[in-house]
Amino acid sequence: EEEAGGKDGGAGAASSAAAVPRLLHFIFGLSADFGGKPFGLVHHLVIAAAQHAAAPVATYFYYAHEPSGEWWEAAKPSLALRKVVAPTSVFGRPVRKFAHQADVLRLEVLLSFGGIYLDLDVLLLRPLAPLLSAAAPGQATLAHEGVGGSIGVGNALMLTPRNHSFFREWYEAYRAFSDAVWNGFSVRLPSRLAAAAPSSVRVLAYGAFYWPPWNPWGVAQLYRSERCLLRGGYAVHLWETKGWRSL
């Protein structure tokens, strides 16, 4: 496991020699009620921070239901809008929860285009250029959730070339999809797959993207203490579902 902002520890040939395209991808509004979390100031700031940190050639915004309001109108001119139908099944398996539908859609997007995917509650703190340049040719970059990856490998911030072998394998595993375990296919499964492919997937330490954790103690640090910022961290996950009232 790499330290946040540390040098690449992987070795060997990656799945391809392709670079990570300078594309940003966001998914929002698969549910008509936006899960009770309408587009607001924080979402606008997350997009602006990502555009500053990644210097993308395009920022794609995928939605089934378009947001509204002043902060949406402020963000909209900088986005390439892509209306989608929320995937209610994958390989014939039902996908009932909107969060799981977003999990499927982000894999399909990254397989098709590559680039940088972020949840709309992931705030980038500094430029991604050093992170991208430290990766071996063709590597995807993700980060652990939990100390030592105790929870798994997160899917809220991912950087990858298009049609990457790791993401193909991950997507193919959805042939057996089940929502019996909430994060079974989104966090636990990629942890196992990444452990088996260390040369093609660079997994950063949890502090790079996912500090503090989403438990009550972590959310308290996030909104009440400077301990939410670790030296070398590239992002802070705001854990919107846990801290919406604070946002």
Side-chain angles (χ1 to χ4, degrees):
E1 179 177 316
E2 292 184 41
E3 294 302 321
K7 294 183 179 179
D8 175 31
S15 58
S16 75
V20 175
R22 286 172 51 206
L23 304 173
L24 285 175
H25 304 284
F26 294 99
I27 296 171
F28 192 80
L30 297 188
S31 166
D33 67 355
F34 305 103
K37 304 174 186 68
F39 194 96
L41 171 61
V42 169
H43 302 121
H44 172 54
L45 292 176
V46 163
I47 291 172
Q51 291 173 330
H52 176 74
V57 296
T59 301
Y60 292 101
F61 189 95
Y62 305 86
Y63 68 97
H65 304 276
E66 185 175 346
S68 61
E70 64 173 313
W71 295 114
W72 171 243
E73 293 303 321
K76 187 175 176 179
S78 71
L79 304 174
L81 303 185
R82 296 292 183 268
K83 189 167 185 178
V84 298
V85 176
T88 56
S89 67
V90 58
F91 297 116
R93 311 281 291 187
V95 184
R96 304 176 183 89
K97 305 287 196 306
F98 289 112
H100 293 152
Q101 292 171 6
D103 291 339
V104 171
L105 184 56
R106 73 191 66 186
L107 294 182
E108 293 176 343
V109 165
L110 289 175
L111 282 169
S112 295
F113 303 107
I116 302 164
Y117 171 84
L118 300 96
D119 278 354
L120 265 168
D121 61 350
V122 174
L123 183 65
L124 291 183
L125 302 175
R126 58 194 180 102
L128 296 179
L131 188 62
L132 291 167
S133 63
Q139 270 191 327
T141 300
L142 296 89
H144 277 146
E145 258 192 58
V147 178
S150 57
I151 298 173
V153 168
N155 72 345
L157 173 51
M158 303 183 286
L159 305 85
T160 183
R162 69 177 295 275
N163 197 30
H164 193 280
S165 60
F166 170 77
F167 285 87
R168 290 199 306 269
E169 186 176 5
W170 188 354
Y171 187 67
E172 282 292 318
Y174 271 79
R175 293 183 181 277
F177 176 72
S178 166
D179 59 10
V181 177
W182 179 259
N183 65 354
F185 280 75
S186 58
V187 177
R188 298 187 184 188
L189 172 62
S191 180
R192 296 194 297 272
L193 297 178
S199 64
S200 65
V201 182
R202 184 173 54 147
V203 180
L204 305 176
Y206 67 95
F209 301 164
Y210 300 116
W211 176 262
W214 50 260
N215 59 28
W217 178 89
V219 173
Q221 308 312 304
L222 181 59
Y223 294 103
R224 302 175 192 169
S225 168
E226 292 182 0
R227 284 180 289 182
C228 68
L229 301 176
L230 290 185
R231 183 178 181 182
Y234 280 90
V236 168
H237 196 161
L238 301 175
W239 304 115
E240 181 179 81
T241 57
K242 302 291 184 179
W244 177 250
R245 291 183 180 178
S246 298
L247 292 173

